[in-house]
Amino acid sequence: MSRALEIAALGMDTATPNPRVGCVIVRDGVVVGEGWHRRAGEPHAEALALAQAGSQARGATAYLTLEPCSHHGRTPPCADALIEARIGRVIAAMEDPNPLVNGRGLERLRQAGIDVRCGLLSAQARALNPGFVSRMVTGRPWVRMKVAASLDGFTALPDGSSQWITGEAARADGHRWRARSCAILTGIGTVKEDDPRMTARLTGVSRQPLKVLVDSRLEVDVEAQILKGGEVLIVAAHERPERQAELRDRGCEVLCLPNAEGKVDLPALMRELGERGINELHVEAGHKLNGSLIREGCVDELLIYLAPALLGLGRGMFDLQAAASLDGRLKLALQSVERIGDDLRVLAHIEGRS
């Protein structure tokens, strides 16, 4: 199963909107076939592993990181393929939370007389697909917010200068997190100040995430870097038809999602992205939008890079109201703390998110 999880991760950047899945087929203690899902529309992990195993699949054990599908999508049901190959035993890490599957694949195998077990390394399997699980269960993506700051918690000097607080290794690591995401979200304030490209700039990246810009009044400059290359979704709160037409002429999609306060309805945006098949949403924004996303319950995970430096004064990470008491503080569940170059990378879940 560890090997199945390892090869499933090879689809980290490409499998979306499908889950990252690996399959290893073992006969008499020897691996006779393995496969991992590369991208939507291409063969699933089980099909690739069975093709490699050939006749040796009969009576063998298949280790799957996710329950095999039981419905016709772009490809035939993998549960049927395992039955036809006369697999003797199937060990799955976790059930598929997709309502179209949700235990039906494993039950179909059992009805065919196959020995089925489920739950081996389930936590690792869920951690491999937080976005897919979130989208299937809640209807919205898993939202990861990335922040780079000094050790005293400032993301920029008072005048907005922020390049570069963290080192080259941390910046490269940030691009790896961008690459695995289905979409990258930022706000108009960040675009005006930094004019970012919001792309994953790594060697070998074959898919760029959708770029999502929260721009209530459609103020973005048509020459902004974020609008150049790749798909761009601009989310506004004010219609401004002529401005929308201008941006559409530039190849952008414009979506108007106002809330009662005349700002972008962020929870509605999360639901919209879920409907579009966005599994993991990567946020790189300023402290105001960061604070709004957290306050409105739209953030699951924080990815924070801390530089070994003190700024003394500057812009904070999140625009949040002060807690009335320590009991009212926003609690986090630390997942990992690692050194990346000269910096620290802290990964933490908002309490209650998993």
Side-chain angles (χ1 to χ4, degrees):
M1 188 62 78
S2 292
R3 174 60 181 168
L5 289 164
E6 180 184 348
I7 60 176
L10 295 173
M12 186 69 73
D13 303 346
T14 59
T16 181
N18 291 348
R20 300 144 183 153
V21 181
C23 175
V24 174
I25 298 176
V26 178
R27 183 184 178 91
D28 298 327
V30 177
V31 173
V32 295
E34 60 180 34
W36 53 279
H37 184 52
R38 290 166 172 78
R39 53 181 57 84
E42 294 190 9
H44 287 189
E46 298 93 324
L48 292 169
L50 287 170
Q52 191 177 102
S55 62
Q56 295 184 86
R58 184 168 184 168
T61 298
Y63 293 85
L64 309 175
T65 60
L66 185 70
E67 172 186 6
C69 59
S70 56
H71 64 290
H72 283 271
R74 298 185 186 181
T75 59
C78 291
D80 289 354
L82 291 164
I83 293 169
E84 290 168 9
R86 304 282 186 90
I87 282 286
R89 184 169 63 156
V90 169
I91 300 177
M94 61 177 286
E95 289 190 358
D96 189 338
N98 186 340
L100 296 175
V101 186
N102 199 24
R104 295 182 183 89
L106 298 179
E107 183 56 31
R108 184 176 296 187
L109 297 175
R110 290 189 181 101
Q111 290 176 356
I114 295 173
D115 181 9
V116 175
R117 314 289 174 86
C118 186
L120 179 62
L121 300 186
S122 61
Q124 292 90 327
R126 288 180 67 88
L128 186 66
N129 285 297
F132 180 77
V133 173
S134 177
R135 185 165 64 86
M136 290 298 113
V137 174
T138 70
R140 67 174 189 80
W142 178 265
V143 181
R144 180 181 298 112
M145 179 175 286
K146 179 255 182 178
V147 181
S150 60
L151 202 57
D152 51 351
F154 297 113
T155 62
L157 295 173
D159 65 2
S161 300
S162 61
Q163 295 183 347
W164 297 102
I165 286 180
T166 54
E168 185 176 344
R171 296 197 298 275
D173 190 69
H175 279 277
R176 280 188 280 273
W177 288 93
R178 283 186 182 183
R180 66 174 280 172
S181 302
C182 307
I184 300 174
L185 180 145
T186 194
I188 185 61
T190 298
V191 169
K192 284 182 175 180
E193 290 194 354
D194 299 336
D195 195 21
R197 284 179 278 177
M198 287 299 168
T199 54
R201 296 187 292 280
L202 291 173
T203 303
V205 170
S206 60
R207 177 197 61 85
Q208 286 293 336
L210 168 71
K211 292 182 278 190
V212 182
L213 173 60
V214 175
D215 182 7
S216 291
R217 297 179 177 81
L218 296 177
E219 299 172 303
V220 64
D221 188 326
V222 292
E223 297 299 327
Q225 292 291 329
I226 195 172
L227 304 187
K228 297 178 181 178
E231 295 182 77
V232 183
L233 171 64
I234 302 175
V235 190
H238 302 272
E239 292 286 350
R240 299 190 63 187
E242 292 184 4
R243 184 68 173 141
Q244 285 194 41
E246 183 180 11
L247 291 167
R248 289 192 176 107
D249 286 343
R250 291 277 176 163
C252 303
E253 180 183 358
V254 181
L255 180 66
C256 197
L257 287 176
N259 62 15
E261 299 174 352
K263 298 179 180 179
V264 170
D265 188 329
L266 296 173
L269 173 56
M270 297 303 115
R271 293 190 294 271
E272 172 70 24
L273 293 175
E275 291 175 2
R276 292 174 180 235
I278 300 299
N279 288 336
E280 292 184 26
L281 177 64
H282 182 91
V283 176
E284 292 192 26
H287 68 292
K288 290 184 179 180
L289 181 52
N290 284 350
S292 295
L293 286 163
I294 291 174
R295 283 196 306 274
E296 298 192 40
C298 297
V299 180
D300 300 290
E301 186 173 52
L302 299 178
L303 173 67
I304 301 178
Y305 296 90
L306 293 174
L310 303 175
L311 298 187
L313 187 63
R315 299 187 181 181
M317 293 187 272
F318 317 106
D319 183 14
L320 294 171
Q321 291 183 338
S325 69
L326 285 177
D327 289 339
R329 67 193 186 275
L330 183 66
K331 296 180 181 178
L332 307 176
L334 281 176
Q335 303 301 302
S336 64
V337 179
E338 297 182 40
R339 182 166 177 166
I340 307 293
D342 292 330
D343 306 304
L344 288 181
R345 184 185 71 193
V346 179
L347 196 64
H349 290 176
I350 304 290
E351 191 172 82
R353 307 287 190 184
S354 60

